[in-house]
Amino acid sequence: MSTTVATPSYVKYESVPGYFLQDLDSTNAATFNFMTTNFGLINRTYSSSSNSKEVGTTEDQTQWERFAREVRQLNEQSDYGVEYKVLFIGRHGQGYHNVAESYYGTPAWDCYYSQMDGNGTITWADAQLTPNGIAEALAVNAFWAKEITEQNIPTPQKFYTSPLSRCCATAALTFTGLNLPASQPFIPEVKELLREWISGHTCDRRANMSYIAANYPTFTFEEGFQEADPLWNATLVETRSAQDERSRSVLDDIFMNDRSTYISITTHSGQATSMLSVLGHRPFTLSTGAVIPILVRAETVTGRPSFPTGQPWTAIVTCTTPPPNPTPTTAEVKLSDAMMMRIQ
């Protein structure tokens, strides 16, 4: 009796340029504002405008309606094994760990304070959103509401979030109360591998599943999600290649199992950077609360991939006393003091 051997295959990702300002090398991520630029969508015409057989013309359509038509045509005309998705990749709002790192300085934070749960005044273990972080998420909620009303923007058909508290809170504040289609309500799925770069920093140690479920009762969990954090280790640091391997794994899971075209992912700065790299997008750092959409072409390719293998995690580097904070500018002192006073 013969045994059929499955042919190996993998997903090849390509970030499709030319649709968003964040695709362009000339766009400065440090000064880019997605809320004043229509999510960065470039105001342009598309080939689908003249080729489409859909009823109606594009002259009276918004830019997002024209873009949605373009994406629809790309999928209709794509070869077998090829699909296009639009990922709205968002970073959580400001967390208490962000404030603490700004206050102490990155060298002292990395080797000393980040291993603590807090300083007696604030807690940054599995960091919650600061009042400023809450305001950032609510501002994005208002922006989505405006885009839905004025642009008829295609809203996410599926929502995913990191399990860390700051992302769960950001996702809830961002999408709750929006005018979403009844068939596509805001019921996010918590995915373990969407979490931040993993190190001994306590801000990246997640809460138990039961805690997340109690605080976000409408959230769902991916199959196999464990009660306790299975990945965080106080003495080890995830290598960048291991993180990229993790990013590829979670993206493969989403692209292979979710037929949605428009997807929201609420994650972290480091994890967003890793995913953008895996997707072939140029480096683009997200500020707290920021969201960027990207158009992704995914092709299932026969054969074995030649991706770099994730390197083993390394030992975390700590110090018994914090190094001196580099002399800050007057503006930085005022900023840090103001943030700490706001928290107190």
Side-chain angles (χ1 to χ4, degrees):
M1 181 177 179
S2 61
T3 302
T4 302
V5 179
T7 303
S9 63
Y10 64 96
V11 181
K12 178 183 177 182
Y13 297 107
E14 176 187 353
S15 175
V16 185
Y19 292 95
F20 296 98
L21 294 173
Q22 48 268 29
D23 302 336
L24 307 177
D25 290 338
S26 57
T27 300
N28 185 346
T31 58
F32 175 74
N33 186 334
F34 70 97
M35 288 194 282
T36 60
T37 57
N38 202 16
F39 274 119
L41 185 62
I42 297 172
N43 191 23
R44 49 161 287 194
T45 58
Y46 307 117
S47 59
S48 59
S49 300
S50 57
N51 296 334
S52 177
K53 297 180 181 180
E54 295 181 29
V55 177
T57 62
T58 61
E59 285 76 12
D60 57 352
Q61 290 184 320
T62 70
Q63 189 62 48
W64 270 103
E65 288 173 329
R66 291 194 291 269
F67 176 70
R69 173 181 281 190
E70 172 81 353
V71 173
R72 191 158 52 248
Q73 181 168 297
L74 286 172
N75 276 317
E76 289 172 351
Q77 298 180 353
S78 64
D79 295 331
Y80 177 79
V82 175
E83 66 173 333
Y84 292 82
K85 292 185 186 294
V86 178
L87 303 184
F88 289 92
I89 299 177
R91 182 185 176 188
H92 60 79
Q94 184 194 65
Y96 285 112
H97 65 307
N98 299 127
V99 173
E101 181 177 355
S102 296
Y103 185 77
Y104 291 115
T106 297
W109 168 257
D110 281 342
C111 82
Y112 187 77
Y113 292 104
S114 63
Q115 280 77 58
M116 301 176 178
D117 285 352
N119 63 2
T121 300
I122 62 172
T123 299
W124 52 72
D126 189 20
Q128 301 287 339
L129 295 182
T130 66
N132 185 57
I134 293 173
E136 288 174 332
L138 290 174
V140 180
N141 175 280
F143 178 63
W144 266 109
K146 179 175 179 289
E147 289 287 282
I148 291 170
T149 300
E150 297 181 1
Q151 283 283 319
N152 193 26
I153 187 174
T155 54
Q157 298 160 293
K158 183 71 176 183
F159 304 83
Y160 296 101
T161 181
S162 157
L164 294 170
S165 292
R166 54 193 181 272
C167 282
C168 291
T170 298
L173 291 167
T174 297
F175 293 107
T176 297
L178 293 178
N179 185 22
L180 302 175
S183 60
Q184 299 161 11
F186 173 61
I187 304 177
E189 180 177 304
V190 180
K191 298 189 79 64
E192 189 77 78
L193 300 187
L194 286 178
R195 61 194 297 162
E196 181 60 294
W197 172 58
I198 308 169
S199 68
H201 295 195
T202 61
C203 58
D204 299 326
R205 182 185 66 215
R206 75 161 170 86
N208 287 344
M209 177 181 178
S210 55
Y211 172 89
I212 301 172
N215 283 273
Y216 302 96
T218 61
F219 284 25
T220 62
F221 296 85
E222 65 183 341
E223 184 177 354
F225 194 87
Q226 299 181 36
E227 168 65 11
D229 190 335
L231 299 178
W232 187 84
N233 189 307
T235 64
L236 295 178
V237 177
E238 182 181 34
T239 58
R240 295 302 181 183
S241 59
Q243 183 181 18
D244 287 348
E245 192 172 67
R246 170 164 64 87
S247 295
R248 180 171 293 281
S249 178
V250 71
L251 287 167
D252 285 352
D253 181 25
I254 292 172
F255 273 78
M256 291 178 178
N257 297 297
D258 192 333
R259 298 272 62 87
S260 302
T261 299
Y262 297 90
I263 293 174
S264 168
I265 297 176
T266 305
T267 187
H268 309 261
S269 175
Q271 184 57 18
T273 296
S274 176
M275 288 194 300
L276 288 176
S277 175
V278 168
L279 293 169
H281 195 276
R282 77 182 188 97
F284 200 90
T285 303
L286 298 182
S287 59
T288 55
V291 183
I292 59 167
I294 63 171
L295 177 62
V296 178
R297 180 184 186 275
E299 179 180 5
T300 301
V301 178
T302 300
R304 298 189 183 278
S306 57
F307 308 131
T309 302
Q311 296 302 304
W313 293 24
T314 58
I316 191 170
V317 177
T318 61
C319 50
T320 55
T321 57
N325 194 1
T327 303
T329 65
T330 301
E332 288 171 337
V333 170
K334 290 181 178 179
L335 175 62
S336 294
D337 288 347
M339 288 191 294
M340 293 299 285
M341 288 176 65
R342 178 187 303 165
I343 292 169
Q344 294 172 12

